[in-house]
């Protein structure tokens, strides 16, 4: 995971409900190792293409980015993690990724999956922008 990205694996999941409509179990699709590798290559390829576009068109290239999410977006994640005994650090993508990696309960594998789902919900939508509107580091 680089300083520009955060590793959040989005597992497809569904809730299994009892007769009263209460969730009893979460079933997730198993992600294959090859899926992770393809996702990493896509991130690196996208970054390389973005850097090339920026170098050739520093003021008029069109790129896509995710703006930093508002800290308030993480309130539910932080509260849920805290209830399970975990601290979530949202000061950077790297700190957040590290926090999520530590938020594991060996007796309940669903805790980490749910925390990662909450993290995904806290993120901002991707937006398109002209390269001249932002500094390279943004």
């Amino acid at each position: 995971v680089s300083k520009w990205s955060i590793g959040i694996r989005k597992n497809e999941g569904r809730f299994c409900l009892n007769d009263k409509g209460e969730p009893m179990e979460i079933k997730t699709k198993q992600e294959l190792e090859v899926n992770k590798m393809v996702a990493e290559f896509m991130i690196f390829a996208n970054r390389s293409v973005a850097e090339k576009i920026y170098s050739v068109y520093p003021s008029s290239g069109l790129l896509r980015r995710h703006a930093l999410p508002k800290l308030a977006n993480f309130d539910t994640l932080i509260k849920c993690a805290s209830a399970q005994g975990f601290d979530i650090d949202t000061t950077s993508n790297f700190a957040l990724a590290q926090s999520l990696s530590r938020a594991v309960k060996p007796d309940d594998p669903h805790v980490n999956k749910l925390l990662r789902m909450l993290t995904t919900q806290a993120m901002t939508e991707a937006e398109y922008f002209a390269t001249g509107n932002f500094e390279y580091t943004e």
Side-chain angles (χ1 to χ4, degrees):
V1 178
S2 75
K3 69 177 185 176
W4 296 282
S5 66
I6 181 168
I8 300 175
R9 300 288 180 232
K10 190 173 184 180
N11 292 330
E12 286 185 37
R14 63 184 173 100
F15 288 94
C16 296
L17 308 176
N18 64 14
D19 294 339
K20 298 176 186 176
E22 299 166 334
M24 299 300 293
E25 181 181 8
I26 301 171
K27 290 194 177 187
T28 58
K29 250 187 187 178
Q30 194 67 356
E31 185 179 38
L32 302 174
E33 197 62 36
V34 71
N35 298 99
K36 295 176 188 176
M37 187 173 64
V38 169
E40 289 298 318
F41 280 129
M42 286 173 53
I43 289 169
F44 289 125
N46 288 342
R47 176 145 181 90
S48 295
V49 169
E51 287 175 343
K52 183 66 173 178
I53 290 171
Y54 187 85
S55 71
V56 175
Y57 304 104
S59 62
S60 60
L62 183 64
L63 297 176
R64 183 174 175 258
R65 74 179 195 138
H66 290 270
L68 293 174
K70 295 176 185 150
L71 291 180
N73 291 6
F74 291 110
D75 287 348
T76 302
L77 168 67
I78 291 168
K79 288 177 187 172
C80 289
S82 180
Q84 294 295 318
F86 300 111
D87 290 320
I88 300 295
D89 182 353
T90 59
T91 57
S92 71
N93 287 347
F94 185 73
L96 178 56
Q98 297 248 313
S99 296
L100 289 169
S101 293
R102 288 190 299 268
V104 175
K105 284 200 162 199
D107 60 325
D108 190 352
H110 298 300
V111 169
N112 188 267
K113 289 177 186 174
L114 289 171
L115 292 176
R116 289 178 185 274
M117 287 178 192
L118 288 171
T119 302
T120 301
Q121 290 175 353
M123 297 298 177
T124 57
E125 295 277 329
E127 61 187 14
Y128 289 91
F129 68 98
T131 52
N133 291 346
F134 296 93
E135 291 295 322
Y136 179 77
T137 57
E138 293 182 66

